């Protein structure tokens, strides 16, 4: 019951897999690799075991509340709580995708925003005081990617609530269904989903401050993964650098921030460096 626990969602491949690898090497506790598909997840664990690492495995589909609840109960009964939660699971349509904007909007936000939100609502009650939550965002999640100035103001509102944020996400889906989304929201459902995730990061930080929980978002860089069609120049281990920094090394003063993959605290609007977080160590 006293073991520390770190969890990475969507971690059977890509950046999530590399985050698990990095945690296994340095985190003083139990590390969980999770995935929707059990066979792929167990294969990933086996591959890491060949490197001399020993992650644990549990099935976890963030789009299925029952799956998340089963996982929560397992962690609570076995260890009592969570010390590090990395929300990595996400989807993205390819640029060549032929699905209409309405379908891309609904499916992308269902996973990247709404399922991440519901996963947090289920798992946050068992976060230990002092825990760290890392949301894997993207440069697509910069506010400048939302063309409408009034919408950007709503996302930046320091009193923004989760219901209000969720309503903004639904407004985008409805606009996509009507075909009126481009002027106000842009043409990328993935970008809107990651703007929503970064906004959620800041709202959650406000809500969890009394428990000394640190919640941050990070752009992992353009990484060579299936999601990028292997066009990214960075390796998955380079992509894991920022998330691992927030999970293990960032000073406690780093809270509710948006970080670049080199661990620079950056402007949420355009990614302009604000300060080098590592200098605070």
């Amino acid at each position: 019951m006293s073991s520390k626990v770190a969890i990475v969602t969507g971690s059977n491949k890509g950046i999530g897999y590399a985050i698990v690898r990095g945690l296994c090497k340095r985190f003083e506790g139990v590390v969980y690799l999770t995935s929707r598909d059990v066979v792929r997840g167990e294969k990933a664990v086996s591959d890491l075991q060949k490197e001399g690492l020993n992650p644990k495995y549990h099935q976890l589909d963030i789009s299925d509340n029952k799956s998340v609840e089963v996982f929560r109960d397992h962690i609570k009964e076995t260890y009592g709580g969570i010390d590090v939660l990395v929300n990595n699971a996400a989807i993205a349509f390819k640029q060549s995708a032929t699905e209409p904007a309405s379908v891309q909007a609904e499916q992308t936000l269902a996973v990247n925003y709404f399922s991440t939100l519901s996963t947090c609502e289920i798992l946050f009650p068992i976060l230990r005081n002092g825990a760290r939550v890392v949301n894997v965002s993207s440069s697509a999640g910069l506010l400048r990617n939302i063309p409408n100035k009034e919408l950007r103001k709503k996302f930046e509102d320091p009193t923004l609530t989760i219901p209000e944020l969720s309503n903004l996400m639904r407004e985008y889906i409805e606009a996509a269904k009507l075909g009126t989304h481009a002027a106000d929201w842009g043409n990328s459902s993935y970008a809107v989903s990651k703007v929503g995730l970064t906004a959620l990061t800041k709202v959650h930080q406000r809500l969890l401050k009394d428990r000394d929980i640190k919640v941050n978002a990070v752009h992992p860089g353009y990484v060579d993964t299936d999601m990028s069609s292997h066009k990214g120049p960075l390796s998955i281990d380079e992509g894991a650098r920022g998330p691992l920094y927030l999970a293990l090394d960032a000073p406690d003063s780093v809270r509710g921030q948006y970080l670049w993959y080199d661990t620079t605290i950056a402007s949420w609007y355009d990614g302009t460096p604000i300060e080098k977080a590592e200098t605070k160590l």
Side-chain angles (χ1 to χ4, degrees):
M1 287 288 287
S2 60
S3 294
K4 287 190 173 183
V5 177
I7 294 158
V8 186
T9 68
S11 50
N12 63 285
K13 64 179 181 177
I15 296 170
Y17 179 85
I19 295 170
V20 169
R21 177 194 276 141
L23 287 170
C24 284
K25 291 178 178 179
R26 295 188 50 216
F27 182 69
E28 296 179 355
V30 175
V31 180
Y32 268 88
L33 184 153
T34 70
S35 65
R36 289 181 297 170
D37 185 282
V38 174
V39 173
R40 292 177 181 176
E42 291 180 341
K43 169 66 164 54
V45 168
S46 176
D47 290 343
L48 288 170
Q49 288 173 339
K50 292 173 184 175
E51 297 181 27
L53 305 174
N54 192 33
K56 292 187 178 294
Y57 177 74
H58 201 286
Q59 192 274 344
L60 179 63
D61 180 354
I62 68 165
S63 65
D64 178 355
N65 283 354
K66 182 62 178 176
S67 171
V68 183
E69 289 166 355
V70 168
F71 180 59
R72 173 202 62 198
D73 293 345
H74 166 74
I75 295 297
K76 185 176 181 180
E77 292 167 8
T78 308
Y79 304 102
I82 299 169
D83 299 275
V84 172
L85 173 61
V86 181
N87 288 310
N88 172 73
I91 66 167
F93 282 84
K94 303 296 184 183
Q95 287 188 338
S96 59
T98 57
E99 290 86 350
S102 58
V103 171
Q104 294 191 34
E106 197 154 39
Q107 293 185 10
T108 303
L109 269 68
V111 175
N112 297 1
Y113 175 78
F114 287 105
S115 292
T116 299
L117 171 59
S118 61
T119 296
C120 289
E121 289 175 339
I122 293 167
L123 295 181
F124 275 12
I126 65 167
L127 287 176
R128 292 192 176 103
N129 289 349
R132 294 182 174 215
V133 178
V134 181
N135 293 326
V136 180
S137 187
S138 167
S139 59
L142 293 172
L143 263 183
R144 70 178 179 189
N145 292 323
I146 304 296
N148 185 290
K149 182 178 179 180
E150 294 307 311
L151 282 174
R152 294 199 301 267
K153 285 182 178 179
K154 290 179 180 180
F155 280 112
E156 285 186 295
D157 185 346
T159 65
L160 182 68
T161 66
I162 289 175
E164 289 169 345
L165 176 57
S166 294
N167 281 337
L168 283 171
M169 297 290 97
R170 293 186 188 98
E171 284 179 22
Y172 166 68
I173 293 171
E174 290 306 309
K177 289 179 179 178
L178 293 170
T180 61
H181 59 287
D184 291 332
W185 296 91
N187 284 310
S188 171
S189 292
Y190 184 74
V192 174
S193 76
K194 291 300 186 178
V195 168
L197 178 64
T198 306
L200 182 65
T201 300
K202 295 178 179 295
V203 177
H204 274 157
Q205 181 62 77
R206 294 202 318 267
L207 296 176
L208 294 170
K209 63 181 181 179
D210 292 340
R211 294 172 59 192
D212 191 31
I213 292 170
K214 280 69 71 174
V215 189
N216 292 285
V218 59
H219 163 48
Y222 194 27
V223 180
D224 179 2
T225 64
D226 289 348
M227 188 175 284
S228 70
S229 298
H230 299 282
K231 294 179 181 178
L234 300 180
S235 70
I236 58 172
D237 290 310
E238 289 172 319
R241 178 185 173 189
L244 287 169
Y245 172 74
L246 287 173
L248 299 171
D249 301 318
D252 285 350
S253 57
V254 179
R255 301 169 185 239
Q257 299 288 353
Y258 176 87
L259 269 74
W260 220 239
Y261 60 92
D262 65 355
T263 73
T264 301
I265 295 177
S267 159
W268 180 25
Y269 177 74
D270 62 5
T272 302
I274 295 175
E275 61 181 302
K276 189 72 172 178
E278 287 181 336
T279 60
K280 290 186 176 182
L281 289 174

